Amino acid sequence: MHAAREHTDALHRHGTRPFAGKVAEEDPRPAITTTTSSSSFNSVRSPQRFHGEQYHGIHPARPSSQRNGSLGLETGVSVEQAEADFAELSRELSGLSQHRRQLSRTASRRSNLSTKHVVDVEKTATTSEESDGEQWDLEQTLRGSKEEEYAAGIKSKRIGVLWEGLTVSGVGGVRNFVKTFPDAFASFLNLPGTLMHLFGYGKSGRESDILRGFSGLVRPGEMVLVLGRPGSGCTTFLKVIANQRFGYTKVGGEVLYGPFDAKTFEKKYRGEAVYNQEDDVHHPTLTVGQTLGFALDTKTPGKRPEGMSKKEFKEKVIGLLLKMFNIEHTLNTVVGNPFIRGVSGGERKRVSIAEMMVTGATVCAWDNSTRGLDASTALDYAKSLRIMTNIYQTTTFVSLYQASENIYSQFDKVMVIDEGRQVFFGPTHEARAYFEGLGFKEKPRQTTPDYLTGCTDPYEREYKDGRSDGNAPSSPESLAKAFNESVFAERLSEEMLTYRKHLGNEKEVYAEFEVANREAKRKHTSKSSVYGAPFHLQVWALMQRQFLIKWQDKFSLVVSWITSIVVALILGTVWLRLPQTTSAAFSRGGLLFISMLFNAFQAFGELASTMLGRPIVNKHRAYTFHRPSALWIAQMMVDLAFSAAKILLFSIIVYFMCGLVRDVGAFFTFVLAIVSGYLAMTLFFRTIGCICPDFDYAMKFAAVIITLFVLTSGYLIQYQSQQVWLRWIFYINAMGLGFSVLMMNEFKRFTLTCAGGQLVPSGPGYGDLAHQVCTLPGGAPGSNQVSGRNYINTSFSYNPSDLWRNWGFMVVLIATFLFFNATLGEALQYGAGGKTVTYYAKEDKERKRLNQELMRKREMRQKREADRGSDLNITSKAVLTWENLCYDVPVPSGQLRLLKDIFGFVRPGQLTALMGASGAGKTTLLDVLASRKNIGKISGDMLVDGIAPGTAFQRGTSYAEQLDVHESTQTVREALRFSANLRQPYEVSQEEKYAYVEEVIALLEMEDIADAIIGTPDSGLAVEQRKRVTIAVELAAKPELLLFLDEPTSGLDSQSAFNIVRFLKKLAAAGQAILCTIHQPNSALFENFDRLLLLQRGGECVYFGDIGRDASVLLEYFRKNGAFCPNDANPAEWMLDAIGAGQSPRIGDRDWGDIWRTSSELANTKDEIIRIKASRINVVGANRKTDEKEYATPLWHQIKCVNRRTQLSFWRSPNYGFTRFFNHVVVALITGIAYLQLDNSRSSLQYRVFIIFQATVLPALILAQVEPKYDFSRLIFYRESAAKAYKQFPFALSMVLAELPYSVLCAVGFFLPLYYIPGFQSASTRAGYQFLMILITELFSVTLGQMVAALTPSSFISMLVNPFLIITFALFCGVTIAKPQIPKFWRAWLYQLDPFTRLVGGMVVTELEGRPVQCAPHEFNTFASPAGQTCGQYMSEFFANGGPGYIANNATSVCEYCAYKIGNQFYEPLGLSFDNRWRDLGILAAFIGSNLVLLFMGSRYLNFNRR
């Protein structure tokens, strides 16, 4: 046997692997049998387990204490013999599907393998097989695949990883204080520092070591479990070992992947080392099948088994992955995210795991990948990894929190990290003994992973008698030192030395690796490329995916089409059948400009989607699915298809309704120009999205550029009138070039007839055309026809022969932006790594005192001086009962029942666990019991003390939900105080509430983060810290009745989870009634619970009752119904397997739901509920409260608390306020400079109107910021209002009040440059009025944004409404089309209802009233007076009849006529009057009132939080 092992190891070293299928002949070491499903193998060990030991000639037997492993030595049976027998037995039982899992648990126990047992199994299995069919087997499937690959000559890839002296540094070590509004000004003024920081130079803090001095070796086919407390450096280690080094300042030491160093491996084989992050990042509108299908499109190998086609290969692999994770039913379900309903959290996690498996990488790092999975699925996942690692010889690193003993037994090696130091690295079965040997107390009941992590926790570790932190390792440094001096470190260094020597001899293995890597690539892929598919196939795969993303997001698609059609119809009706006269010349230009502008700004959404899509691009880049540049090209192609269709429809409506030139060529040129403009702007916004590190920079940058583009596009200021130093922008401005193409295309094709009012002089006695002139630019004396070419040449400096040249410039811009987009996308990697930073509020006297007191208490607790129950005193004795509880939700086919006839109760003083498989309905049941559901139908009885719950029920319960939703700018202490202030009874004094908050902080061990800003998941508290805050916020409310918790331990490490459950136990002991869902509890955690409610898929109850000591009551129930739990199994995991929660079939031939429905235990539960109701009605009886208050505090108190928090939130969001202020100032400044010091010429009148028209861009600037702010705040409001903390009115009012100070500041910043730089009237009566108008417009825009946000379900939808609002307001205010020319239908109501009618009307008359006009030389229209008359004589009657304008020189016969003499003559024909300006101001102010009314009504009556 020994010789056989030596022989096999030698084969491994020389690159020939004994084939896994021939277990008995070639590989007599511990191997995996091929009969069980993936979940049916409890201890599949690595074929290379003894490599390291073999070099020293040692073959240690595995100790018997190792759970679920092969037989211990004391039985006298050899391990190899047991496994050979097991393999034999497996073959005999190959037809038995139902009981395989049970056998695999007991097969290693010889005593249970009696013939009788086998016969019984056969008897039951044959019947169950008929109904259930053959059980699918992951291992056999994979081995089959491997054999097919082997037969097809596909080389295997395997590579070991060695790291020595690995040290990783990052920025940190400085206590960062939260930034406030004034800090934004300071950092902006420090521009060089900001720019350096922006591009990664300069440091925000001190460089510190995250990991220090790590060394180790993992061979192909080995699995390493990485353990450590949160923040100890597990994630950093996994990222660096997967060669993802971005975001760290320095990575020292050596990491070798086989013979390749990290740099070479990154350059040549980037996709061979991959990292699976803790959070699930996917396109939410793609289905599970499409998500995995895309991954396979880019990763299907060039060389496939049996000449299998690409399609067959793809279907086979997707089927395999879905079966492996038991999610076949999700194939056609969208993945979803927190805002889009899709698969469940646990299923989404499995999609992430499957997606990474598609990469076929050789080095895999998995970061806490079992978060959110139930115990059974988590174990299945670990076994799947074990099997894949064995068969495909991958090198696997996994970090897990709360790993069970069964999961632990799947691993070969374990690494323990403590605050960035490696304190152990060695075989899993020797780790426990090593720590016990250091002097730590033995804890046989604790799982090994919990024990190992606990030894690094100063609050949890305990020492053996006679040992203490004085004479045993107690700090990370001393633990690392102890390890470095241990026999394990010595053995490791010898192993590493031997490994390095062998690297030279294993050239064939690595040559095979290179061949395999090359063969995996598709045809035409460059040899040096790290990607599996050539660039054109990446683009094609991405085009298919982008098409699906757009097509399946039906809502956005429909809304954008409707917006486009409605705007086209409005434009068509406003400019209906334009006459070919001079009166419509300027309006025609306005129509073309708005057509261009509207479609170009439809692309603005790309900015957000590019920035939000970054995490997915970064992940796919690391997985080497595709180059980022391929994505941008594919997106452009798909955009072109979707937008061209939409723009074509828009163009047909506008073009033919408005009566533009009827010419086929002209129509298609119109469409082409708009599509080109849209495409150029789309790519431009995407480029900004690539360059800018965050939204605030992007918004600032976009505001500057868009303002410049709009102003220099040639409509608002004609090219010849622009400042000389601004003119060059025209040539890089797609909107300006597009507008010029549209104007030339339209006007070169027809001649305008001069309209009556524009033929001067006109009226009685002026009928001779020879002595008249048309005042339109380009008009010639003695003619009433104006050539379109002359008009655009004189007025806009456009030469129609430049039409195709300008379109060519647009094409060049598109190509340039695409090039920048592609290259920047490849070069810049924002948000692709690094460490999150925690910010703190600065300490004041009170906070300093409180923190010192917390620390003092903590020290006492550490010294075991204060290990007493807390001063909790819960007086409520109320009992919640539920009977026949059902819950139905509407689905397209009718009603779907999610909960079926559930009975149960929660008593004060008892801790009840709610458990079940992922998707069994645990959260649904909690939502129903906590009265959080507002859709669907609930039936059955839910009673408190025997009667239906009253209005105070929600206030009397606390519900810590699964998602950690908090106001991100609060500190932890502020969040708890807010909860206590509003949810504890108003009568309780503030001192008492705040003292209780300090107690909660101490109980949940949050002393270090009491003043930390909660932040967002990306920058703020870590996952487990946020989870504690969620629980603390609910505890601070001091619930009178019940405490519900939904997965309070998910995402936490074992120690934190244990502390939380221990604390819940304390609460229960103090009299609190608690119901809590829980995933993956270990035995120690599970025994803290008093009762269990167990659900199976479909929302059916399978058990409700006591758990009993060591789960005796629960296990007895299962035993008497035919399911026997092995002594060494964790009951919490085993019971889920027993009811068929994982991949394994259930135990027994009857459905456990049926068994429960007919059981005596259910009958007892029903009797108990009747008894409880009767006794509580007797006790409560006359003492029942009748004046139940829905809220704990009065309205004014709610307003005070909520307003204080909202004001603080705005103050601590410096970017929000500063970006808005910056945008206001920049837009005003650019506009002011563009119209620098206007003179009194005729064209300046029009420019003054356009400057005033710039005030209408305020809503465009403000809505884009106000709506998301309101929407995010509303998500928090939904959670807090469900707990009855405060009403809707305080929330909406506080949002309005918080915006006020910033609105005033922005109005000042906007007004000063806009008003004084162009030289508006400086008299205080005029300037004061204009400032008031700007301020009212600012407030109107803010309240409009909040009102739209309140009336729409999400900021995404409100963003789609914005363009429609802004365009309507801008169109009907009388600037783009004068009031007399607006069709009567719109003029009668919409013109009057438009708030900007009042803004423009009031400001234009105030500015132009009494302003003298002096035409510039080129603005005079010349004509000859009749013979014998001077100009003065000829024109006298015209002026006497009220004709506008003046003659430059009355004494000559060549008359130079100026169209206006005074500003009044310009605005009076537009129907404006100076007398109405205060009326207009009042009406505009009234619009603010109407916004507020709609805002308060919307927040009160519209609840978009459907659950």
Side-chain angles (χ1 to χ4, degrees):
M1 189 65 77
H2 184 97
R5 182 179 291 134
E6 287 284 338
H7 165 68
T8 315
D9 276 336
L11 282 176
H12 265 289
R13 282 200 308 281
H14 291 98
T16 7
R17 196 155 90 254
F19 210 71
K22 304 174 184 173
V23 179
E25 292 171 20
E26 294 182 1
D27 196 357
R29 288 170 299 165
I32 315 171
T33 55
T34 56
T35 61
T36 62
S37 78
S38 65
S39 6
S40 60
F41 208 89
N42 268 351
S43 182
V44 253
R45 312 300 303 184
S46 163
Q48 297 220 335
R49 151 163 298 289
F50 296 104
H51 252 174
E53 294 141 358
Q54 174 224 328
Y55 292 129
H56 310 297
I58 311 166
H59 303 288
R62 220 168 303 156
S64 60
S65 66
Q66 188 189 327
R67 298 187 184 183
N68 289 347
S70 301
L71 269 182
L73 290 179
E74 67 274 19
T75 58
V77 181
S78 83
V79 175
E80 287 84 355
Q81 187 57 46
E83 285 175 327
D85 287 357
F86 187 30
E88 185 58 40
L89 177 78
S90 302
R91 278 195 289 280
E92 284 174 27
L93 302 177
S94 59
L96 314 180
S97 60
Q98 282 291 34
H99 283 245
R100 287 173 175 167
R101 186 177 183 91
Q102 198 176 349
L103 268 175
S104 72
R105 292 196 193 99
T106 50
S108 58
R109 310 156 87 81
R110 298 284 294 175
S111 57
N112 287 351
L113 294 180
S114 65
T115 320
K116 179 176 176 293
H117 185 70
V118 173
V119 172
D120 287 349
V121 169
E122 280 180 327
K123 206 181 290 176
T124 53
T126 45
T127 57
S128 65
E129 192 183 273
E130 287 164 21
S131 58
D132 278 298
E134 186 63 34
Q135 173 67 13
W136 179 77
D137 184 336
L138 167 68
E139 195 181 330
Q140 254 180 353
T141 310
L142 285 182
R143 286 209 185 280
S145 303
K146 193 70 190 157
E147 283 171 10
E148 286 167 15
E149 287 173 18
Y150 187 75
I154 295 171
K155 300 278 189 287
S156 61
K157 294 186 292 185
R158 60 180 190 276
I159 211 148
V161 183
L162 175 145
W163 61 100
E164 192 164 8
L166 178 64
T167 298
V168 181
S169 307
V171 172
V174 173
R175 198 174 172 96
N176 294 288
F177 290 109
V178 65
K179 300 268 191 294
T180 57
F181 184 59
D183 293 328
F185 286 88
S187 66
F188 179 73
L189 295 172
N190 172 26
L191 204 57
T194 306
L195 287 172
M196 280 172 68
H197 174 63
L198 193 59
F199 292 107
Y201 302 104
K203 292 184 182 142
S204 57
R206 199 171 58 231
E207 187 176 78
S208 60
D209 287 346
I210 304 171
L211 304 178
R212 192 184 311 162
F214 279 49
S215 294
L217 166 66
V218 183
R219 288 194 167 74
E222 286 187 328
M223 285 173 68
V224 179
L225 179 62
V226 181
L227 294 175
R229 288 178 300 143
S232 59
C234 296
T235 296
T236 300
F237 174 75
L238 290 176
K239 277 188 171 180
V240 172
I241 220 71
N243 221 4
Q244 293 196 12
R245 299 177 168 212
F246 180 83
Y248 302 108
T249 53
K250 194 171 72 195
V251 179
E254 181 184 29
V255 181
L256 283 182
Y257 300 89
F260 310 106
D261 61 28
K263 213 169 186 177
T264 312
F265 204 68
E266 161 73 17
K267 191 178 166 191
K268 289 186 174 179
Y269 310 111
R270 188 170 74 216
E272 293 295 345
V274 289
Y275 163 77
N276 185 283
Q277 65 195 56
E278 195 171 343
D279 297 316
D280 305 311
V281 184
H282 299 285
H283 285 289
T285 58
L286 289 181
T287 66
V288 171
Q290 288 162 352
T291 301
L292 298 177
F294 167 73
L296 277 159
D297 283 338
T298 59
K299 279 290 182 182
T300 301
K303 197 168 182 181
R304 294 182 286 274
E306 301 173 351
M308 195 186 280
S309 76
K310 181 174 170 293
K311 190 180 174 196
E312 288 166 347
F313 181 85
K314 186 171 160 183
E315 284 170 3
K316 181 182 173 185
V317 175
I318 290 176
L320 169 71
L321 289 167
L322 296 180
K323 266 185 173 168
M324 186 193 296
F325 294 114
N326 205 15
I327 50 172
E328 290 164 284
H329 58 284
T330 66
L331 179 68
N332 297 315
T333 309
V334 295
V335 177
N337 64 14
F339 308 109
I340 294 173
R341 279 184 71 173
V343 298
S344 73
E347 288 165 345
R348 195 174 303 130
K349 172 56 71 184
R350 286 177 258 179
V351 174
S352 299
I353 296 166
E355 185 186 43
M356 184 163 125
M357 286 184 167
V358 169
T359 62
T362 41
V363 178
C364 302
W366 306 86
D367 194 358
N368 197 11
S369 297
T370 57
R371 187 176 97 191
L373 302 185
D374 61 80
S376 183
T377 310
L379 181 57
D380 284 344
Y381 157 66
K383 288 171 180 170
S384 303
L385 278 189
R386 175 76 264 170
I387 291 167
M388 290 191 73
T389 302
N390 287 355
I391 291 174
Y392 289 103
Q393 291 292 287
T394 54
T395 308
T396 307
F397 297 84
V398 185
S399 81
L400 295 177
Y401 292 155
Q402 303 181 47
S404 66
E405 198 68 38
N406 278 344
I407 290 176
Y408 181 74
S409 68
Q410 305 300 322
F411 291 86
D412 306 298
K413 293 180 176 174
V414 61
M415 172 189 276
V416 184
I417 304 177
D418 184 12
E419 288 182 23
R421 306 301 294 262
Q422 179 178 312
V423 298
F424 181 78
F425 179 74
T428 46
H429 59 276
E430 296 183 50
R432 192 170 193 134
Y434 167 75
F435 279 96
E436 287 169 354
L438 289 179
F440 293 106
K441 187 176 178 181
E442 294 163 18
K443 295 182 178 177
R445 287 185 64 83
Q446 206 173 23
T447 63
T448 309
D450 290 2
Y451 177 73
L452 300 181
T453 316
C455 290
T456 68
D457 187 337
Y459 306 126
E460 300 304 327
R461 58 180 165 223
E462 294 176 46
Y463 296 96
K464 289 179 179 172
D465 294 340
R467 304 296 288 271
S468 69
D469 52 9
N471 59 11
S474 57
S475 65
E477 290 72 23
S478 56
L479 281 165
K481 184 167 177 278
F483 172 70
N484 291 333
E485 291 167 358
S486 71
V487 65
F488 291 99
E490 194 182 314
R491 199 193 299 173
L492 178 64
S493 58
E494 283 176 34
E495 211 178 316
M496 285 163 73
L497 204 65
T498 317
Y499 176 80
R500 282 180 189 275
K501 281 179 193 165
H502 278 83
L503 279 180
N505 307 335
E506 295 194 326
K507 289 213 171 88
E508 317 90 80
V509 177
Y510 300 114
E512 200 173 276
F513 171 80
E514 291 184 45
V515 169
N517 183 277
R518 198 163 53 245
E519 284 180 349
K521 291 175 185 170
R522 308 267 282 281
K523 272 185 201 163
H524 314 300
T525 309
S526 143
K527 281 185 181 176
S528 60
S529 170
V530 291
Y531 297 94
F535 191 76
H536 69 278
L537 285 180
Q538 292 175 29
V539 172
W540 176 238
L542 282 159
M543 279 172 69
Q544 292 173 46
R545 187 192 72 177
Q546 287 306 116
F547 177 82
L548 289 170
I549 288 171
K550 278 202 177 259
W551 184 250
Q552 284 171 196
D553 192 358
K554 288 285 191 292
F555 183 81
S556 310
L557 205 59
V558 168
V559 169
S560 69
W561 273 77
I562 288 174
T563 306
S564 198
I565 291 167
V566 169
V567 169
L569 289 170
I570 290 173
L571 294 179
T573 51
V574 170
W575 276 282
L576 190 65
R577 291 195 295 276
L578 282 171
Q580 290 192 353
T581 63
T582 55
S583 62
F586 195 70
S587 300
R588 200 174 280 258
L591 168 68
L592 298 175
F593 181 64
I594 284 181
S595 299
M596 189 79 218
L597 199 66
F598 168 70
N599 285 294
F601 283 148
Q602 288 270 294
F604 190 64
E606 291 304 322
L607 186 61
S609 61
T610 301
M611 301 189 83
L612 292 172
R614 269 182 195 164
I616 300 176
V617 177
N618 287 333
K619 179 173 81 167
H620 286 177
R621 186 174 189 268
Y623 286 179
T624 61
F625 284 170
H626 63 83
R627 298 183 78 101
S629 52
L631 172 66
W632 307 130
I633 291 168
Q635 272 187 333
M636 191 197 80
M637 305 279 202
V638 174
D639 277 350
L640 189 56
F642 275 90
S643 61
K646 193 168 68 178
I647 288 170
L648 181 64
L649 182 61
F650 173 89
S651 302
I652 289 169
I653 296 170
V654 170
Y655 202 89
F656 294 105
M657 282 184 77
C658 299
L660 298 179
V661 180
R662 297 292 167 93
D663 180 284
V664 176
F667 171 71
F668 284 109
T669 308
F670 178 86
V671 177
L672 183 66
I674 292 181
V675 170
S676 306
Y678 169 80
L679 211 51
M681 292 307 287
T682 299
L683 290 166
F684 167 71
F685 285 127
R686 283 212 187 114
T687 307
I688 292 182
C690 285
I691 295 171
C692 296
D694 60 36
F695 267 119
D696 292 301
Y697 280 106
M699 289 294 287
K700 288 175 199 160
F701 193 34
V704 175
I705 304 287
I706 289 169
T707 309
L708 277 172
F709 278 6
V710 172
L711 284 174
T712 59
S713 58
Y715 177 68
L716 298 178
I717 316 178
Q718 287 75 41
Y719 181 79
Q720 70 277 9
S721 305
Q722 288 171 16
Q723 306 291 336
V724 179
W725 46 271
L726 273 178
R727 288 182 187 174
W728 63 273
I729 296 176
F730 173 79
Y731 293 100
I732 58 158
N733 177 358
M735 283 196 292
L737 291 164
F739 175 62
S740 72
V741 169
L742 293 175
M743 288 292 281
M744 291 185 267
N745 178 51
E746 179 70 17
F747 281 97
K748 75 174 185 178
R749 296 173 195 270
F750 68 88
T751 301
L752 300 152
T753 305
C754 200
Q758 286 178 304
L759 202 58
V760 174
S762 58
Y766 296 103
D768 187 356
L769 196 57
H771 303 293
Q772 291 174 305
V773 68
C774 194
T775 57
L776 187 77
S783 169
N784 69 344
Q785 300 291 305
V786 181
S787 152
R789 286 171 181 267
N790 285 355
Y791 168 63
I792 58 173
N793 207 330
T794 312
S795 202
F796 294 92
S797 301
Y798 293 152
N799 183 349
S801 61
D802 294 338
L803 191 154
W804 292 108
R805 181 202 73 174
N806 286 7
W807 182 75
F809 286 157
M810 292 175 81
V811 174
V812 171
L813 277 179
I814 290 170
T816 308
F817 285 141
L818 186 59
F819 171 75
F820 277 126
N821 209 333
T823 49
L824 291 168
E826 295 281 344
L828 297 175
Q829 258 189 300
Y830 290 117
K835 191 178 174 189
T836 60
V837 181
T838 305
Y839 290 92
Y840 293 85
K842 287 181 179 165
E843 277 189 340
D844 55 18
K845 268 186 190 170
E846 185 208 9
R847 282 202 284 267
K848 197 168 188 177
R849 179 181 59 76
L850 291 170
N851 290 339
Q852 284 169 348
E853 179 61 23
L854 283 173
M855 291 303 167
R856 189 184 62 76
K857 275 188 185 171
R858 184 160 85 171
E859 280 164 24
M860 283 169 61
R861 196 168 66 241
Q862 272 173 265
K863 292 173 186 164
R864 306 281 189 270
E865 288 173 21
D867 199 18
R868 54 188 172 79
S870 68
D871 307 327
L872 299 170
N873 181 20
I874 292 143
T875 52
S876 173
K877 297 283 182 281
V879 184
L880 175 70
T881 59
W882 56 94
E883 302 164 83
N884 283 109
L885 193 62
C886 297
Y887 176 59
D888 301 279
V889 289
V891 289
S893 56
Q895 293 280 321
L896 174 66
R897 179 152 287 188
L898 297 183
L899 297 176
K900 295 179 185 171
D901 297 318
I902 296 174
F903 288 80
F905 54 84
V906 184
R907 274 203 191 102
Q910 284 194 332
L911 184 54
T912 305
L914 172 54
M915 292 181 69
S918 297
K922 302 184 293 295
T923 301
T924 306
L925 178 58
L926 276 192
D927 283 349
V928 168
L929 292 177
S931 300
R932 293 297 196 270
K933 288 287 183 200
N934 54 21
I935 54 169
K937 183 183 168 213
I938 300 168
S939 55
D941 290 332
M942 203 174 81
L943 308 173
V944 177
D945 289 345
I947 66 157
T951 49
F953 175 71
Q954 272 172 274
R955 181 171 64 78
T957 57
S958 280
Y959 183 11
E961 298 185 34
Q962 202 169 341
L963 290 174
D964 307 313
V965 181
H966 298 285
E967 169 54 66
S968 60
T969 55
Q970 281 184 304
T971 66
V972 172
R973 181 178 278 120
E974 285 163 0
L976 269 59
R977 286 183 165 189
F978 181 79
S979 179
N981 267 330
L982 286 171
R983 292 171 63 185
Q984 286 190 26
Y986 183 60
E987 299 71 40
V988 177
S989 71
Q990 196 177 61
E991 291 73 30
E992 205 175 316
K993 288 175 181 173
Y994 286 1
Y996 185 70
V997 163
E998 295 306 305
E999 185 151 335
V1000 171
I1001 290 172
L1003 285 167
L1004 285 172
E1005 294 168 8
M1006 300 193 298
E1007 296 91 344
D1008 293 332
I1009 57 166
D1011 285 330
I1013 301 293
I1014 295 169
T1016 60
D1018 305 326
S1019 62
L1021 297 181
V1023 174
E1024 61 96 22
Q1025 292 170 327
R1026 295 172 73 79
K1027 182 57 73 183
R1028 285 183 201 211
V1029 174
T1030 302
I1031 296 166
V1033 162
E1034 295 307 317
L1035 293 176
K1038 222 172 180 177
E1040 296 169 9
L1041 289 174
L1042 266 163
L1043 176 60
F1044 296 106
L1045 301 105
D1046 193 5
E1047 289 185 31
T1049 61
S1050 264
L1052 304 191
D1053 66 309
S1054 310
Q1055 222 51 63
S1056 306
F1058 188 73
N1059 291 345
I1060 280 172
V1061 172
R1062 190 181 58 189
F1063 171 62
L1064 293 178
K1065 186 72 178 164
K1066 251 189 217 175
L1067 269 181
Q1072 183 75 63
I1074 302 174
L1075 178 61
C1076 165
T1077 65
I1078 194 149
H1079 268 175
Q1080 304 176 29
N1082 57 40
S1083 305
L1085 210 60
F1086 190 55
E1087 68 184 22
N1088 279 293
F1089 289 91
D1090 303 303
R1091 300 180 71 78
L1092 169 71
L1093 173 53
L1094 182 60
L1095 296 179
Q1096 71 176 7
R1097 284 198 184 91
E1100 288 185 87
C1101 182
V1102 291
Y1103 181 75
F1104 175 74
D1106 289 333
I1107 294 171
R1109 184 169 178 76
D1110 292 331
S1112 54
V1113 179
L1114 170 70
L1115 297 180
E1116 173 56 28
Y1117 172 76
F1118 276 98
R1119 191 192 58 72
K1120 87 176 182 194
N1121 288 297
F1124 300 89
C1125 177
N1127 294 337
D1128 59 356
N1130 171 6
E1133 285 175 19
W1134 174 84
M1135 69 182 184
L1136 289 174
D1137 291 347
I1139 64 169
Q1143 275 178 290
S1144 57
R1146 64 167 186 261
I1147 296 177
D1149 54 355
R1150 272 188 73 196
D1151 181 77
W1152 285 98
D1154 291 341
I1155 294 172
W1156 172 251
R1157 280 190 287 275
T1158 55
S1159 68
S1160 57
E1161 283 79 2
L1162 174 60
N1164 294 343
T1165 301
K1166 290 178 180 176
D1167 294 343
E1168 181 65 5
I1169 290 171
I1170 293 166
R1171 196 193 61 70
I1172 288 170
K1173 288 195 295 191
S1175 68
R1176 291 302 298 157
I1177 287 169
N1178 287 339
V1179 173
V1180 177
N1183 305 331
R1184 196 179 297 282
K1185 283 185 188 172
T1186 49
D1187 59 333
E1188 290 198 335
K1189 285 189 293 187
E1190 192 176 0
Y1191 295 91
T1193 57
L1195 184 66
W1196 66 267
H1197 181 74
Q1198 293 173 23
I1199 292 171
K1200 188 176 77 172
C1201 291
V1202 177
N1203 183 47
R1204 188 191 303 126
R1205 179 178 76 168
T1206 312
Q1207 295 285 359
L1208 187 62
S1209 164
F1210 277 62
W1211 184 247
R1212 284 184 185 159
S1213 308
N1215 278 346
Y1216 173 73
F1218 181 72
T1219 300
R1220 198 167 122 198
F1221 178 72
F1222 175 87
N1223 289 351
H1224 277 70
V1225 173
V1226 161
V1227 170
L1229 207 54
I1230 292 172
T1231 307
I1233 291 170
Y1235 295 102
L1236 188 65
Q1237 290 303 312
L1238 293 174
D1239 53 21
N1240 286 337
S1241 67
R1242 172 184 161 183
S1243 56
S1244 291
L1245 291 176
Q1246 186 66 57
Y1247 293 155
R1248 286 174 198 277
V1249 175
F1250 280 145
I1251 291 170
I1252 289 164
F1253 189 57
Q1254 277 296 90
T1256 66
V1257 305
L1258 286 180
L1261 291 177
I1262 292 167
L1263 296 183
Q1265 278 187 287
V1266 167
E1267 287 165 352
K1269 183 80 173 169
Y1270 184 94
D1271 189 36
F1272 282 126
S1273 302
R1274 183 170 59 184
L1275 290 175
I1276 296 150
F1277 159 72
Y1278 282 146
R1279 186 183 66 77
E1280 293 171 337
S1281 71
K1284 301 298 176 189
Y1286 53 90
K1287 294 183 175 176
Q1288 297 86 346
F1289 181 71
F1291 161 69
L1293 181 66
S1294 70
M1295 290 301 290
V1296 173
L1297 294 176
E1299 293 278 6
L1300 282 177
Y1302 304 95
S1303 298
V1304 174
L1305 185 66
C1306 289
V1308 172
F1310 186 77
F1311 172 75
L1312 293 174
L1314 189 77
Y1315 196 80
Y1316 289 107
I1317 294 175
F1320 272 34
Q1321 296 202 26
S1322 55
S1324 57
T1325 51
R1326 301 286 172 102
Y1329 175 88
Q1330 304 285 46
F1331 174 68
L1332 271 179
M1333 282 302 249
I1334 295 287
L1335 179 60
I1336 290 170
T1337 306
E1338 179 78 22
L1339 295 173
F1340 166 76
S1341 304
V1342 169
T1343 52
L1344 176 74
Q1346 293 182 329
M1347 182 263 282
V1348 170
L1351 299 179
T1352 48
S1354 72
S1355 56
F1356 177 70
I1357 293 165
S1358 41
M1359 289 292 185
L1360 295 170
V1361 175
N1362 294 347
F1364 176 71
L1365 278 177
I1366 292 163
I1367 281 177
T1368 308
F1369 286 171
L1371 264 187
F1372 292 100
C1373 67
V1375 174
T1376 49
I1377 181 165
K1379 180 186 175 182
Q1381 291 169 339
I1382 298 175
K1384 197 174 175 188
F1385 171 75
W1386 295 120
R1387 191 169 64 225
W1389 65 281
L1390 197 50
Y1391 172 79
Q1392 303 296 342
L1393 272 180
D1394 187 344
F1396 290 171
T1397 301
R1398 311 301 159 192
L1399 167 72
V1400 171
M1403 291 184 78
V1404 166
V1405 297
T1406 305
E1407 173 54 28
L1408 298 187
E1409 167 68 24
R1411 180 176 280 284
V1413 180
Q1414 290 158 352
C1415 277
H1418 68 275
E1419 292 177 332
F1420 285 105
N1421 297 105
T1422 56
F1423 56 90
S1425 60
Q1429 280 186 298
T1430 63
C1431 291
Q1433 293 164 339
Y1434 177 57
M1435 294 291 285
S1436 58
E1437 197 174 338
F1438 174 72
F1439 291 131
N1441 291 333
Y1446 67 91
I1447 292 290
N1449 186 343
N1450 286 337
T1452 62
S1453 61
V1454 177
C1455 310
E1456 290 183 314
Y1457 171 73
C1458 181
Y1460 306 109
K1461 186 177 186 180
I1462 190 167
N1464 306 41
Q1465 293 176 347
F1466 181 85
Y1467 68 69
E1468 279 165 358
L1470 305 178
L1472 302 176
S1473 164
F1474 187 70
D1475 300 335
N1476 292 337
R1477 65 190 193 126
W1478 288 105
R1479 180 201 72 180
D1480 287 345
L1481 184 139
I1483 294 172
L1484 185 60
F1487 276 111
I1488 298 175
S1490 66
N1491 284 346
L1492 290 174
V1493 169
L1494 287 169
L1495 164 63
F1496 293 136
M1497 298 280 282
S1499 65
R1500 170 73 182 83
Y1501 294 107
L1502 295 177
N1503 181 3
F1504 296 108
N1505 187 30
R1506 315 302 284 155
R1507 52 185 290 181

